[in-house]
Amino acid sequence: MGVGLLVGLLFGRGIIIIINRVQLAYEGLYPALLFSLIFLTYSTAHACQGNGFLAVYVAGIISGNANLIHKKTLRSFMEGLRG
């Protein structure tokens, strides 16, 4: 669980940096970028014999509480997935 926590902390900070610095052509591509970063977080934690679910959870808490440039787009997309 410690590995998952550490990976989640590192990738949570990385997600903030990547989302804020990458300039994509269309605003609708940011949810796809976020999904790919989420899968990368899980895969990295799992490859390091850590808990991937904990890593994704921690990264989501960290990035969700940060000031993201496209936060409104990401939030509306994620709320649409909830149904």
Side-chain angles (χ1 to χ4, degrees):
M1 287 186 62
V3 173
L5 180 66
L6 181 63
V7 170
L9 289 171
L10 293 175
F11 274 79
R13 299 282 182 176
I15 287 171
I16 295 167
I17 293 168
I18 291 171
I19 294 287
N20 285 336
R21 290 194 182 174
V22 170
Q23 294 180 359
L24 299 175
Y26 300 103
E27 194 169 334
L29 292 175
Y30 286 97
L33 175 63
L34 182 63
F35 266 119
S36 66
L37 294 172
I38 289 169
F39 288 131
L40 183 64
T41 303
Y42 179 86
S43 301
T44 303
H46 186 71
C48 295
Q49 303 299 319
N51 190 338
F53 294 111
L54 179 63
V56 169
Y57 181 75
V58 170
I61 289 175
I62 290 173
S63 62
N65 288 324
N67 290 328
L68 297 174
I69 295 173
H70 300 282
K71 192 169 191 172
K72 184 177 180 181
T73 302
L74 294 171
R75 181 181 294 164
S76 66
F77 180 80
M78 293 298 172
E79 286 177 355
L81 288 178
R82 260 189 350 179

